[in-house]
Amino acid sequence: MLIYTSNNTTLFLRINCFIIFIAGTILKNIELLFEKNPQCFSKIQSNKNSVIFQCGDKSFSGITISKIIKFINAVRKKYKNLKLSLVFSFGSIKLADKLSYIIFECICYFLMTNFHYKIHLFWQPERNILTDGIFCSPLLFLSKGDRNDFCRFLQKFQMDIYRRHFRRLINGSNKENTNYLGNLLQELDTFLKAFSIAEDYRDQISEVIIELVGNACEHGHTNCLLDIDITNDGEIAIDDIPQKGIFYGINIAIVNFSDILLGDGIKNKIEQNKLNENRYICLKQAYSYHKQFFSQDYSYADFCNISSLQDKISGRPYYNLSGGTGLTKLIHSLQEKSEVDSCYVISGQRCVRFVKNLLNYDDNKWLGFNEQKDFFKALPDKVTTVDCYIYFPGTAYNLNFVMKRED
Amino acid sequence: MTTIYLKFPKSETSLAGFPYGDDVYQNQVKENISFEGDITIIFPDQIEKVASSFVQGFFANIVMAIGYKGIEKNVKIISKNDKLTASIRKNIY
Protein backbone atom coordinates (compact mmCIF):
# COMPACT_ATOMS: atom_id res chain seq x y z
CA MET A 1 0.00 0.00 0.00
CA LEU A 2 1.22 3.45 -0.90
CA ILE A 3 1.08 6.14 1.78
CA TYR A 4 1.78 9.77 1.00
CA THR A 5 2.47 12.67 3.31
CA SER A 6 2.35 16.00 1.57
CA ASN A 7 4.30 19.04 2.61
CA ASN A 8 1.16 21.02 2.03
CA THR A 9 -1.19 20.45 4.95
CA THR A 10 -4.04 22.51 3.59
CA LEU A 11 -6.58 19.96 2.57
CA PHE A 12 -8.97 22.18 0.77
CA LEU A 13 -7.67 24.70 -1.68
CA ARG A 14 -9.08 28.17 -1.66
CA ILE A 15 -10.71 28.54 -5.00
CA ASN A 16 -10.33 32.10 -6.08
CA CYS A 17 -9.14 31.66 -9.57
CA PHE A 18 -10.60 33.14 -12.66
CA ILE A 19 -12.87 30.59 -14.21
CA ILE A 20 -13.94 30.99 -17.76
CA PHE A 21 -17.24 29.45 -18.60
CA ILE A 22 -17.54 28.33 -22.16
CA ALA A 23 -21.22 28.16 -22.91
CA GLY A 24 -22.28 25.36 -25.18
CA THR A 25 -19.30 23.09 -24.56
CA ILE A 26 -20.61 19.97 -22.89
CA LEU A 27 -19.19 16.53 -22.34
CA LYS A 28 -21.17 14.42 -24.77
CA ASN A 29 -22.77 10.99 -24.43
CA ILE A 30 -22.56 10.52 -20.64
CA GLU A 31 -26.11 9.14 -20.81
CA LEU A 32 -24.61 6.03 -22.42
CA LEU A 33 -23.18 5.18 -19.01
CA PHE A 34 -26.72 4.64 -17.72
CA GLU A 35 -28.09 3.09 -20.91
CA LYS A 36 -25.32 0.49 -21.03
CA ASN A 37 -25.58 -0.25 -17.30
CA PRO A 38 -29.36 -0.49 -16.87
CA GLN A 39 -29.44 -2.38 -13.57
CA CYS A 40 -31.02 -0.50 -10.68
CA PHE A 41 -31.46 -0.85 -6.94
CA SER A 42 -34.84 -2.16 -5.87
CA LYS A 43 -34.96 0.18 -2.87
CA ILE A 44 -33.74 3.70 -2.35
CA GLN A 45 -33.54 5.68 0.84
CA SER A 46 -35.27 9.04 0.90
CA ASN A 47 -36.60 11.68 3.24
CA LYS A 48 -38.91 14.63 2.68
CA ASN A 49 -36.71 16.59 0.31
CA SER A 50 -33.94 14.35 -0.83
CA VAL A 51 -32.86 10.93 -1.93
CA ILE A 52 -29.86 9.52 -0.14
CA PHE A 53 -27.02 7.32 -1.29
CA GLN A 54 -25.28 6.03 1.81
CA CYS A 55 -22.17 4.05 1.05
CA GLY A 56 -20.14 1.93 3.42
CA ASP A 57 -17.36 1.09 0.96
CA LYS A 58 -13.89 1.51 2.43
CA SER A 59 -12.54 2.37 -0.98
CA PHE A 60 -14.16 4.51 -3.66
CA SER A 61 -13.63 2.38 -6.75
CA GLY A 62 -15.34 0.96 -9.81
CA ILE A 63 -17.56 -1.04 -7.44
CA THR A 64 -18.77 2.21 -5.88
CA ILE A 65 -19.38 3.72 -9.33
CA SER A 66 -21.41 0.64 -10.24
CA LYS A 67 -23.55 1.14 -7.11
CA ILE A 68 -23.99 4.84 -7.87
CA ILE A 69 -25.23 4.04 -11.38
CA LYS A 70 -27.73 1.52 -9.97
CA PHE A 71 -28.87 4.15 -7.48
CA ILE A 72 -29.31 6.82 -10.17
CA ASN A 73 -31.21 4.39 -12.42
CA ALA A 74 -33.54 3.63 -9.51
CA VAL A 75 -34.06 7.33 -8.75
CA ARG A 76 -34.85 8.12 -12.37
CA LYS A 77 -37.24 5.20 -12.58
CA LYS A 78 -39.10 6.11 -9.40
CA TYR A 79 -39.16 9.89 -9.60
CA LYS A 80 -39.18 10.37 -13.39
CA ASN A 81 -38.83 14.08 -14.10
CA LEU A 82 -38.97 15.44 -10.56
CA LYS A 83 -36.20 17.85 -9.66
CA LEU A 84 -34.58 16.32 -6.62
CA SER A 85 -31.80 16.79 -4.16
CA LEU A 86 -29.44 13.87 -4.18
CA VAL A 87 -27.27 13.28 -1.14
CA PHE A 88 -24.14 11.18 -1.48
CA SER A 89 -22.68 10.21 1.84
CA PHE A 90 -19.39 8.33 2.01
CA GLY A 91 -17.79 9.45 5.25
CA SER A 92 -14.04 8.98 5.44
CA ILE A 93 -13.02 7.07 2.35
CA LYS A 94 -9.95 6.08 0.40
CA LEU A 95 -10.08 6.77 -3.33
CA ALA A 96 -8.94 3.80 -5.39
CA ASP A 97 -7.58 5.94 -8.20
CA LYS A 98 -8.02 9.18 -10.08
CA LEU A 99 -10.34 7.79 -12.73
CA SER A 100 -12.90 6.66 -10.15
CA TYR A 101 -13.56 10.14 -8.85
CA ILE A 102 -13.33 11.67 -12.34
CA ILE A 103 -16.13 9.35 -13.52
CA PHE A 104 -18.10 10.37 -10.43
CA GLU A 105 -17.58 14.02 -11.42
CA CYS A 106 -18.97 13.18 -14.88
CA ILE A 107 -22.02 11.54 -13.33
CA CYS A 108 -22.69 14.59 -11.13
CA TYR A 109 -22.21 16.89 -14.10
CA PHE A 110 -24.67 14.86 -16.16
CA LEU A 111 -27.30 14.83 -13.41
CA MET A 112 -26.99 18.55 -12.83
CA THR A 113 -27.03 19.61 -16.47
CA ASN A 114 -29.65 17.18 -17.73
CA PHE A 115 -32.02 16.74 -14.80
CA HIS A 116 -31.22 19.82 -12.72
CA TYR A 117 -30.73 17.69 -9.65
CA LYS A 118 -29.08 19.37 -6.71
CA ILE A 119 -26.24 17.27 -5.43
CA HIS A 120 -24.82 17.32 -1.93
CA LEU A 121 -21.70 15.41 -1.18
CA PHE A 122 -20.55 14.37 2.28
CA TRP A 123 -17.15 12.77 2.43
CA GLN A 124 -13.62 13.10 3.70
CA PRO A 125 -11.32 11.59 1.10
CA GLU A 126 -8.02 10.30 2.43
CA ARG A 127 -4.86 11.93 1.19
CA ASN A 128 -2.94 9.84 -1.36
CA ILE A 129 -0.36 10.88 -3.92
CA LEU A 130 -2.24 9.04 -6.67
CA THR A 131 -5.54 10.76 -5.94
CA ASP A 132 -4.42 14.09 -4.57
CA GLY A 133 -6.21 15.86 -7.40
CA ILE A 134 -9.45 15.36 -5.49
CA PHE A 135 -8.45 18.40 -3.45
CA CYS A 136 -8.75 20.58 -6.51
CA SER A 137 -11.72 18.73 -7.99
CA PRO A 138 -14.98 20.51 -8.80
CA LEU A 139 -16.55 18.01 -6.40
CA LEU A 140 -15.33 20.29 -3.59
CA PHE A 141 -18.14 22.68 -4.47
CA LEU A 142 -20.76 20.01 -3.91
CA SER A 143 -19.68 19.65 -0.30
CA LYS A 144 -20.79 23.17 0.49
CA GLY A 145 -24.37 23.34 -0.72
CA ASP A 146 -24.36 27.00 -1.64
CA ARG A 147 -26.36 27.72 -4.77
CA ASN A 148 -23.48 29.59 -6.38
CA ASP A 149 -21.26 26.64 -5.73
CA PHE A 150 -23.35 24.49 -8.06
CA CYS A 151 -22.60 26.97 -10.85
CA ARG A 152 -18.96 26.93 -9.89
CA PHE A 153 -18.96 23.15 -10.10
CA LEU A 154 -20.27 23.30 -13.66
CA GLN A 155 -17.76 25.94 -14.67
CA LYS A 156 -14.80 24.22 -13.07
CA PHE A 157 -15.86 20.89 -14.54
CA GLN A 158 -15.40 22.25 -18.03
CA MET A 159 -12.25 24.23 -17.65
CA ASP A 160 -9.72 24.95 -14.97
CA ILE A 161 -6.11 25.89 -14.77
CA TYR A 162 -5.10 26.80 -11.29
CA ARG A 163 -1.81 26.10 -9.61
CA ARG A 164 -1.41 22.34 -9.80
CA HIS A 165 -4.56 21.50 -11.71
CA PHE A 166 -5.14 21.52 -15.46
CA ARG A 167 -8.54 20.66 -16.84
CA ARG A 168 -9.98 20.98 -20.31
CA LEU A 169 -13.07 19.75 -22.04
CA ILE A 170 -11.77 19.33 -25.55
CA ASN A 171 -14.05 19.40 -28.52
CA GLY A 172 -12.40 17.92 -31.58
CA SER A 173 -15.40 17.54 -33.86
CA ASN A 174 -15.17 19.62 -37.04
CA LYS A 175 -11.69 20.66 -35.97
CA GLU A 176 -9.82 17.91 -37.78
CA ASN A 177 -8.32 20.44 -40.16
CA THR A 178 -7.19 22.75 -37.41
CA ASN A 179 -4.25 22.70 -35.05
CA TYR A 180 -6.37 22.37 -31.89
CA LEU A 181 -4.10 19.61 -30.59
CA GLY A 182 -1.01 21.69 -31.26
CA ASN A 183 -2.54 24.52 -29.27
CA LEU A 184 -3.24 22.08 -26.45
CA LEU A 185 0.37 20.92 -26.67
CA GLN A 186 1.50 24.51 -26.18
CA GLU A 187 -0.79 24.94 -23.18
CA LEU A 188 0.42 21.70 -21.61
CA ASP A 189 4.03 22.65 -22.03
CA THR A 190 3.40 26.00 -20.36
CA PHE A 191 1.55 24.30 -17.50
CA LEU A 192 4.19 21.62 -16.92
CA LYS A 193 7.10 24.05 -17.07
CA ALA A 194 6.02 25.50 -13.73
CA PHE A 195 6.88 22.28 -11.88
CA SER A 196 10.56 21.91 -12.65
CA ILE A 197 9.95 18.76 -14.64
CA ALA A 198 12.83 17.88 -16.96
CA GLU A 199 12.18 18.91 -20.56
CA ASP A 200 12.42 15.41 -22.03
CA TYR A 201 10.03 14.07 -19.46
CA ARG A 202 7.69 17.01 -20.01
CA ASP A 203 7.71 16.34 -23.73
CA GLN A 204 6.88 12.68 -23.21
CA ILE A 205 3.98 13.49 -20.91
CA SER A 206 2.62 16.06 -23.36
CA GLU A 207 3.04 13.66 -26.25
CA VAL A 208 1.14 10.87 -24.47
CA ILE A 209 -1.68 13.24 -23.57
CA ILE A 210 -1.93 14.75 -27.05
CA GLU A 211 -2.05 11.33 -28.69
CA LEU A 212 -4.73 10.07 -26.32
CA VAL A 213 -6.85 13.20 -26.64
CA GLY A 214 -6.49 13.05 -30.43
CA ASN A 215 -7.51 9.39 -30.45
CA ALA A 216 -10.51 10.14 -28.29
CA CYS A 217 -11.74 12.94 -30.51
CA GLU A 218 -10.82 11.38 -33.83
CA HIS A 219 -11.68 7.71 -33.30
CA GLY A 220 -14.45 8.15 -30.75
CA HIS A 221 -16.15 10.92 -32.78
CA THR A 222 -16.79 12.80 -29.58
CA ASN A 223 -15.18 15.28 -27.22
CA CYS A 224 -13.13 14.36 -24.21
CA LEU A 225 -12.26 15.44 -20.73
CA LEU A 226 -8.64 15.89 -19.77
CA ASP A 227 -7.63 16.30 -16.13
CA ILE A 228 -4.07 16.59 -14.85
CA ASP A 229 -2.84 17.27 -11.37
CA ILE A 230 0.73 17.60 -10.20
CA THR A 231 0.97 16.99 -6.47
CA ASN A 232 2.99 18.90 -3.94
CA ASP A 233 6.33 17.42 -3.01
CA GLY A 234 6.06 14.89 -0.21
CA GLU A 235 7.30 11.69 1.31
CA ILE A 236 5.95 8.29 0.47
CA ALA A 237 5.90 4.87 2.06
CA ILE A 238 5.49 1.72 0.05
CA ASP A 239 4.08 -1.22 2.01
CA ASP A 240 4.68 0.79 5.19
CA ILE A 241 8.37 1.24 4.40
CA PRO A 242 9.32 4.95 4.16
CA GLN A 243 11.19 5.74 0.97
CA LYS A 244 14.20 8.00 0.93
CA GLY A 245 13.83 11.26 -0.95
CA ILE A 246 11.10 13.66 -1.94
CA PHE A 247 8.43 12.62 -4.37
CA TYR A 248 5.69 14.16 -6.45
CA GLY A 249 2.86 12.66 -8.43
CA ILE A 250 1.73 13.28 -11.97
CA ASN A 251 -1.84 12.11 -12.26
CA ILE A 252 -3.71 12.11 -15.54
CA ALA A 253 -7.20 11.07 -16.58
CA ILE A 254 -8.52 11.21 -20.13
CA VAL A 255 -12.14 10.27 -20.62
CA ASN A 256 -14.53 10.13 -23.55
CA PHE A 257 -18.02 8.71 -23.75
CA SER A 258 -18.93 7.11 -27.05
CA ASP A 259 -20.51 4.08 -28.69
CA ILE A 260 -17.13 3.49 -30.28
CA LEU A 261 -14.72 1.50 -28.13
CA LEU A 262 -10.93 1.35 -28.04
CA GLY A 263 -10.59 -1.77 -30.19
CA ASP A 264 -13.42 -1.08 -32.65
CA GLY A 265 -11.18 0.24 -35.45
CA ILE A 266 -9.11 -2.96 -35.40
CA LYS A 267 -12.24 -5.07 -35.05
CA ASN A 268 -13.61 -3.48 -38.24
CA LYS A 269 -10.36 -4.13 -40.09
CA ILE A 270 -10.39 -7.78 -39.03
CA GLU A 271 -14.03 -8.26 -39.99
CA GLN A 272 -13.63 -6.46 -43.31
CA ASN A 273 -10.54 -8.51 -44.04
CA LYS A 274 -8.31 -5.45 -44.31
CA LEU A 275 -5.22 -6.90 -42.70
CA ASN A 276 -3.29 -7.34 -45.91
CA GLU A 277 -0.51 -4.80 -45.79
CA ASN A 278 2.71 -4.31 -43.87
CA ARG A 279 2.45 -4.89 -40.13
CA TYR A 280 -1.20 -5.78 -40.48
CA ILE A 281 -0.18 -9.06 -42.12
CA CYS A 282 1.68 -9.89 -38.90
CA LEU A 283 -1.36 -8.79 -36.92
CA LYS A 284 -3.43 -11.26 -38.91
CA GLN A 285 -0.99 -14.02 -37.96
CA ALA A 286 -1.25 -13.05 -34.32
CA TYR A 287 -5.04 -13.08 -34.59
CA SER A 288 -5.00 -16.62 -36.03
CA TYR A 289 -3.05 -17.75 -32.98
CA HIS A 290 -4.90 -15.75 -30.31
CA LYS A 291 -8.41 -16.59 -31.48
CA GLN A 292 -7.88 -20.25 -30.59
CA PHE A 293 -7.75 -19.20 -26.95
CA PHE A 294 -10.57 -16.66 -26.73
CA SER A 295 -12.47 -17.18 -23.51
CA GLN A 296 -14.14 -15.24 -20.73
CA ASP A 297 -10.72 -14.28 -19.38
CA TYR A 298 -9.20 -13.29 -22.72
CA SER A 299 -11.70 -12.25 -25.34
CA TYR A 300 -11.87 -10.99 -28.91
CA ALA A 301 -12.39 -7.49 -27.43
CA ASP A 302 -9.16 -7.88 -25.44
CA PHE A 303 -7.26 -8.87 -28.57
CA CYS A 304 -8.59 -5.81 -30.42
CA ASN A 305 -7.70 -3.54 -27.49
CA ILE A 306 -4.18 -4.94 -27.21
CA SER A 307 -3.74 -4.68 -31.00
CA SER A 308 -4.82 -1.04 -31.07
CA LEU A 309 -2.01 -0.31 -28.59
CA GLN A 310 0.68 -1.76 -30.85
CA ASP A 311 3.27 0.31 -32.66
CA LYS A 312 2.31 1.34 -36.22
CA ILE A 313 -1.12 -0.20 -35.91
CA SER A 314 -4.09 2.08 -36.23
CA GLY A 315 -7.83 1.74 -36.37
CA ARG A 316 -8.01 4.46 -39.00
CA PRO A 317 -9.89 3.03 -41.96
CA TYR A 318 -7.79 4.48 -44.79
CA TYR A 319 -4.20 4.27 -43.67
CA ASN A 320 -2.51 0.92 -43.34
CA LEU A 321 1.06 2.06 -43.64
CA SER A 322 1.47 4.68 -40.98
CA GLY A 323 -0.42 5.39 -37.79
CA GLY A 324 -0.42 4.19 -34.22
CA THR A 325 2.74 5.62 -32.75
CA GLY A 326 4.63 3.89 -29.98
CA LEU A 327 2.21 5.27 -27.45
CA THR A 328 2.36 2.25 -25.19
CA LYS A 329 6.14 2.40 -25.29
CA LEU A 330 5.97 6.06 -24.34
CA ILE A 331 3.83 5.16 -21.34
CA HIS A 332 6.36 2.46 -20.50
CA SER A 333 9.18 4.98 -20.73
CA LEU A 334 7.37 7.18 -18.22
CA GLN A 335 6.83 4.16 -15.96
CA GLU A 336 10.54 3.39 -16.09
CA LYS A 337 11.27 6.82 -14.68
CA SER A 338 8.67 6.45 -11.93
CA GLU A 339 9.03 4.96 -8.47
CA VAL A 340 5.40 3.88 -8.48
CA ASP A 341 2.81 3.90 -11.22
CA SER A 342 -0.73 2.91 -11.89
CA CYS A 343 -1.73 2.95 -15.53
CA TYR A 344 -4.67 1.37 -17.28
CA VAL A 345 -7.34 1.97 -19.88
CA ILE A 346 -10.96 0.87 -19.70
CA SER A 347 -13.28 0.51 -22.65
CA GLY A 348 -16.57 -1.37 -22.76
CA GLN A 349 -16.53 -4.22 -20.31
CA ARG A 350 -12.78 -4.63 -20.33
CA CYS A 351 -9.65 -3.09 -18.92
CA VAL A 352 -6.06 -3.21 -20.18
CA ARG A 353 -3.45 -2.68 -17.49
CA PHE A 354 -0.09 -1.24 -18.44
CA VAL A 355 2.16 -3.36 -16.24
CA LYS A 356 5.72 -2.05 -16.29
CA ASN A 357 7.60 -5.34 -16.58
CA LEU A 358 5.26 -6.65 -19.29
CA LEU A 359 5.72 -3.76 -21.71
CA ASN A 360 8.82 -4.79 -23.57
CA TYR A 361 9.09 -4.87 -27.36
CA ASP A 362 10.31 -7.88 -29.25
CA ASP A 363 12.89 -7.25 -31.99
CA ASN A 364 10.20 -6.03 -34.38
CA LYS A 365 8.51 -3.65 -31.96
CA TRP A 366 5.56 -5.88 -31.06
CA LEU A 367 4.31 -5.91 -27.49
CA GLY A 368 3.25 -9.26 -26.13
CA PHE A 369 2.04 -7.80 -22.83
CA ASN A 370 3.68 -10.89 -21.33
CA GLU A 371 7.01 -11.91 -19.82
CA GLN A 372 7.96 -13.81 -22.97
CA LYS A 373 7.77 -10.55 -25.01
CA ASP A 374 5.88 -12.60 -27.57
CA PHE A 375 2.73 -11.35 -29.28
CA PHE A 376 2.58 -14.20 -31.80
CA LYS A 377 2.93 -17.40 -29.80
CA ALA A 378 1.84 -16.37 -26.33
CA LEU A 379 -1.18 -14.66 -24.80
CA PRO A 380 -1.02 -11.48 -22.72
CA ASP A 381 -0.35 -12.09 -19.05
CA LYS A 382 -3.52 -12.64 -17.04
CA VAL A 383 -3.02 -9.45 -15.06
CA THR A 384 -3.10 -7.38 -18.25
CA THR A 385 -6.69 -7.93 -19.38
CA VAL A 386 -9.36 -7.86 -16.71
CA ASP A 387 -13.06 -7.20 -16.38
CA CYS A 388 -14.49 -3.80 -15.47
CA TYR A 389 -17.03 -3.36 -12.71
CA ILE A 390 -19.13 -1.35 -15.14
CA TYR A 391 -19.58 -1.28 -18.89
CA PHE A 392 -17.73 1.88 -19.84
CA PRO A 393 -19.12 3.38 -23.06
CA GLY A 394 -16.05 4.99 -24.62
CA THR A 395 -12.46 4.99 -23.50
CA ALA A 396 -10.96 6.20 -20.24
CA TYR A 397 -7.30 6.29 -19.27
CA ASN A 398 -5.92 6.44 -15.74
CA LEU A 399 -2.22 7.32 -15.70
CA ASN A 400 -0.44 7.88 -12.38
CA PHE A 401 3.30 8.36 -12.07
CA VAL A 402 5.09 8.96 -8.78
CA MET A 403 8.42 10.60 -9.46
CA LYS A 404 11.42 11.15 -7.25
CA ARG A 405 12.46 14.79 -7.13
CA GLU A 406 15.99 15.16 -8.42
CA ASP A 407 18.32 17.28 -6.32
CA MET B 1 14.31 18.70 -56.69
CA THR B 2 11.37 19.99 -54.67
CA THR B 3 11.63 22.47 -51.83
CA ILE B 4 8.54 22.98 -49.68
CA TYR B 5 8.34 25.92 -47.28
CA LEU B 6 5.57 25.13 -44.82
CA LYS B 7 3.51 28.03 -43.52
CA PHE B 8 1.51 28.26 -40.32
CA PRO B 9 -0.30 31.06 -38.51
CA LYS B 10 2.23 32.97 -36.42
CA SER B 11 0.50 32.06 -33.16
CA GLU B 12 1.15 28.36 -33.77
CA THR B 13 4.37 27.14 -32.22
CA SER B 14 3.40 23.47 -31.75
CA LEU B 15 1.90 21.10 -34.28
CA ALA B 16 -0.14 18.01 -33.45
CA GLY B 17 -2.84 15.74 -34.83
CA PHE B 18 -2.83 13.17 -37.62
CA PRO B 19 -5.72 14.81 -39.53
CA TYR B 20 -4.06 18.22 -39.28
CA GLY B 21 -0.79 16.80 -40.56
CA ASP B 22 -2.66 15.22 -43.45
CA ASP B 23 -4.48 18.49 -44.09
CA VAL B 24 -1.24 20.45 -44.24
CA TYR B 25 0.13 17.89 -46.69
CA GLN B 26 -2.98 18.10 -48.88
CA ASN B 27 -3.05 21.91 -48.91
CA GLN B 28 0.59 22.87 -48.97
CA VAL B 29 2.48 19.92 -50.39
CA LYS B 30 0.41 17.64 -52.61
CA GLU B 31 0.28 19.93 -55.65
CA ASN B 32 3.89 21.03 -55.37
CA ILE B 33 5.77 17.81 -54.76
CA SER B 34 7.59 15.61 -57.22
CA PHE B 35 8.64 12.18 -56.02
CA GLU B 36 11.18 11.86 -58.80
CA GLY B 37 14.07 13.64 -57.10
CA ASP B 38 15.22 15.03 -53.77
CA ILE B 39 12.67 16.68 -51.53
CA THR B 40 13.39 19.33 -48.89
CA ILE B 41 10.70 20.18 -46.35
CA ILE B 42 11.27 23.31 -44.30
CA PHE B 43 9.41 23.99 -41.06
CA PRO B 44 9.36 27.69 -40.13
CA ASP B 45 11.46 28.81 -37.16
CA GLN B 46 8.38 29.61 -35.09
CA ILE B 47 7.65 25.87 -34.78
CA GLU B 48 9.15 24.52 -31.57
CA LYS B 49 7.37 21.22 -31.07
CA VAL B 50 5.94 18.70 -33.52
CA ALA B 51 3.98 15.77 -32.10
CA SER B 52 4.37 12.36 -33.69
CA SER B 53 0.69 12.35 -34.72
CA PHE B 54 1.30 15.38 -36.95
CA VAL B 55 4.40 13.78 -38.42
CA GLN B 56 2.51 10.55 -39.12
CA GLY B 57 -0.35 12.40 -40.81
CA PHE B 58 1.92 14.69 -42.79
CA PHE B 59 4.20 11.95 -44.08
CA ALA B 60 1.53 9.26 -44.63
CA ASN B 61 1.19 10.02 -48.34
CA ILE B 62 4.91 10.45 -48.84
CA VAL B 63 5.53 7.06 -47.20
CA MET B 64 2.92 5.54 -49.50
CA ALA B 65 4.61 7.11 -52.54
CA ILE B 66 8.29 6.41 -51.90
CA GLY B 67 8.39 4.20 -48.80
CA TYR B 68 10.53 4.60 -45.68
CA LYS B 69 13.70 3.92 -47.65
CA GLY B 70 12.82 6.62 -50.15
CA ILE B 71 12.31 9.08 -47.32
CA GLU B 72 15.60 8.13 -45.74
CA LYS B 73 17.40 8.57 -49.04
CA ASN B 74 15.64 11.52 -50.68
CA VAL B 75 13.86 13.63 -48.09
CA LYS B 76 15.66 16.35 -46.18
CA ILE B 77 13.96 18.06 -43.25
CA ILE B 78 14.93 21.46 -41.97
CA SER B 79 13.55 22.99 -38.80
CA LYS B 80 14.45 25.43 -36.06
CA ASN B 81 17.14 23.20 -34.60
CA ASP B 82 18.78 19.82 -34.98
CA LYS B 83 16.97 18.34 -32.01
CA LEU B 84 13.57 19.10 -33.50
CA THR B 85 14.65 17.87 -36.92
CA ALA B 86 15.87 14.59 -35.39
CA SER B 87 12.60 14.23 -33.49
CA ILE B 88 10.52 14.78 -36.65
CA ARG B 89 12.59 12.28 -38.58
CA LYS B 90 12.40 9.69 -35.79
CA ASN B 91 8.64 9.98 -35.64
CA ILE B 92 8.22 9.15 -39.33
CA TYR B 93 9.31 5.56 -38.71
Side-chain angles (χ1 to χ4, degrees):
Chain A
M1 186 166 115
L2 177 73
I3 296 173
Y4 162 60
T5 319
S6 169
N7 290 345
N8 181 355
T9 53
T10 309
L11 285 186
F12 290 88
L13 290 170
R14 282 175 60 237
I15 311 294
N16 56 2
C17 59
F18 292 101
I19 300 167
I20 303 163
F21 181 69
I22 304 174
T25 307
I26 56 162
L27 184 55
K28 294 175 188 170
N29 303 326
I30 308 179
E31 70 277 6
L32 291 172
L33 193 58
F34 301 95
E35 290 171 20
K36 302 286 184 183
N37 297 280
Q39 305 85 348
C40 61
F41 284 153
S42 53
K43 284 182 184 175
I44 43 177
Q45 190 186 342
S46 63
N47 63 23
K48 195 178 172 186
N49 300 317
S50 40
V51 192
I52 301 157
F53 179 84
Q54 189 102 32
C55 182
D57 291 354
K58 285 182 179 169
S59 172
F60 189 101
S61 66
I63 298 172
T64 320
I65 293 291
S66 168
K67 289 176 185 172
I68 291 170
I69 292 171
K70 286 175 187 167
F71 167 74
I72 306 283
N73 285 337
V75 170
R76 288 174 66 187
K77 192 174 171 186
K78 186 171 178 183
Y79 296 101
K80 304 276 186 234
N81 297 325
L82 279 180
K83 288 179 186 175
L84 293 167
S85 283
L86 301 186
V87 176
F88 291 93
S89 179
F90 299 100
S92 179
I93 194 162
K94 183 188 170 192
L95 302 176
D97 51 36
K98 184 176 180 78
L99 191 56
S100 301
Y101 78 77
I102 294 285
I103 292 175
F104 183 48
E105 286 178 5
C106 295
I107 290 172
C108 293
Y109 172 79
F110 172 73
L111 295 174
M112 291 166 77
T113 51
N114 282 266
F115 301 108
H116 308 290
Y117 290 160
K118 284 181 182 170
I119 295 176
H120 301 274
L121 177 59
F122 296 97
W123 69 352
Q124 294 86 43
E126 287 178 16
R127 191 130 220 163
N128 184 303
I129 198 166
L130 304 180
T131 57
D132 212 49
I134 191 64
F135 297 106
C136 43
S137 157
L139 289 172
L140 291 181
F141 290 115
L142 302 183
S143 304
K144 296 176 180 175
D146 187 301
R147 188 176 186 152
N148 290 333
D149 285 335
F150 294 127
C151 295
R152 289 193 186 119
F153 170 87
L154 296 175
Q155 291 167 341
K156 196 174 162 76
F157 179 87
Q158 296 184 30
M159 184 177 182
D160 187 34
I161 178 161
Y162 180 64
R163 292 191 177 178
R164 299 182 164 270
H165 186 219
F166 182 98
R167 152 88 63 129
R168 287 285 181 278
L169 186 51
I170 299 146
N171 186 5
S173 65
N174 301 322
K175 288 187 178 173
E176 292 82 2
N177 301 336
T178 73
N179 193 28
Y180 76 101
L181 289 171
N183 296 335
L184 179 63
L185 185 59
Q186 273 172 243
E187 279 193 82
L188 284 171
D189 194 55
T190 307
F191 172 70
L192 293 170
K193 263 181 190 165
F195 303 103
S196 309
I197 299 169
E199 189 181 355
D200 281 358
Y201 189 41
R202 224 166 54 215
D203 286 347
Q204 283 184 346
I205 295 167
S206 303
E207 180 92 4
V208 167
I209 292 169
I210 288 298
E211 297 303 318
L212 295 179
V213 169
N215 286 350
C217 296
E218 189 191 340
H219 300 216
H221 299 299
T222 184
N223 55 7
C224 84
L225 184 68
L226 163 65
D227 191 286
I228 308 166
D229 69 271
I230 313 289
T231 71
N232 284 299
D233 288 354
E235 293 165 354
I236 63 168
I238 300 173
D239 295 331
D240 293 333
I241 302 167
Q243 305 295 301
K244 283 184 182 172
I246 298 296
F247 299 83
Y248 66 101
I250 299 175
N251 304 314
I252 303 161
I254 300 168
V255 179
N256 77 67
F257 293 90
S258 168
D259 271 327
I260 301 166
L261 303 180
L262 176 66
D264 280 0
I266 298 298
K267 193 176 164 190
N268 291 338
K269 284 194 172 178
I270 291 173
E271 288 167 8
Q272 292 164 15
N273 204 16
K274 288 185 175 171
L275 305 180
N276 301 316
E277 290 175 89
N278 308 299
R279 282 171 74 81
Y280 292 85
I281 296 168
C282 299
L283 187 65
K284 196 174 181 177
Q285 289 166 8
Y287 175 63
S288 298
Y289 176 79
H290 283 237
K291 72 179 181 184
Q292 303 172 77
F293 304 98
F294 287 159
S295 65
Q296 208 169 355
D297 294 331
Y298 179 63
S299 63
Y300 179 35
D302 292 325
F303 175 79
C304 294
N305 287 343
I306 295 275
S307 299
S308 72
L309 297 166
Q310 298 287 348
D311 190 45
K312 295 283 183 288
I313 294 293
S314 167
R316 281 187 194 89
Y318 306 113
Y319 289 94
N320 257 6
L321 202 55
S322 62
T325 59
L327 185 65
T328 313
K329 197 63 194 169
L330 216 50
I331 292 171
H332 183 232
S333 168
L334 292 172
Q335 288 176 319
E336 289 280 295
K337 292 171 184 163
S338 314
E339 300 295 316
V340 181
D341 71 271
S342 169
C343 300
Y344 64 83
V345 54
I346 58 171
S347 190
Q349 198 63 58
R350 303 294 286 171
C351 168
V352 179
R353 285 186 182 147
F354 299 99
V355 182
K356 195 193 286 191
N357 64 337
L358 302 177
L359 295 181
N360 291 304
Y361 281 142
D362 69 6
D363 293 340
N364 295 309
K365 286 194 167 185
W366 291 98
L367 283 170
F369 291 86
N370 49 37
E371 285 180 358
Q372 302 93 309
K373 301 180 199 172
D374 189 347
F375 182 52
F376 297 95
K377 293 287 175 202
L379 301 183
D381 194 285
K382 281 181 182 171
V383 299
T384 298
T385 54
V386 292
D387 225 7
C388 267
Y389 292 110
I390 56 167
Y391 179 98
F392 189 83
T395 306
Y397 286 85
N398 181 87
L399 305 173
N400 297 122
F401 305 102
V402 178
M403 311 295 297
K404 193 171 187 177
R405 181 69 74 190
E406 301 295 331
D407 293 330
Chain B
M1 180 180 162
T2 311
T3 302
I4 312 268
Y5 291 88
L6 297 177
K7 287 179 186 166
F8 301 97
K10 290 222 164 135
S11 60
E12 290 183 3
T13 59
S14 302
L15 304 172
F18 189 101
Y20 185 56
D22 185 40
D23 186 71
V24 170
Y25 175 84
Q26 300 295 340
N27 289 311
Q28 298 190 38
V29 181
K30 191 180 173 185
E31 298 298 320
N32 306 314
I33 196 166
S34 160
F35 294 115
E36 298 301 312
D38 290 344
I39 301 164
T40 303
I41 296 165
I42 302 172
F43 288 77
D45 280 355
Q46 80 203 54
I47 300 301
E48 292 171 357
K49 290 185 191 298
V50 183
S52 63
S53 54
F54 179 91
V55 175
Q56 296 278 318
F58 181 85
F59 283 95
N61 285 285
I62 303 176
V63 172
M64 276 196 265
I66 58 176
Y68 291 112
K69 283 186 180 168
I71 288 185
E72 209 170 317
K73 196 177 158 195
N74 298 329
V75 177
K76 186 179 179 187
I77 298 163
I78 297 174
S79 75
K80 186 179 183 177
N81 56 50
D82 291 345
K83 190 181 172 191
L84 180 59
T85 302
S87 156
I88 294 169
R89 191 166 275 286
K90 186 180 143 208
N91 283 327
I92 298 172
Y93 306 105

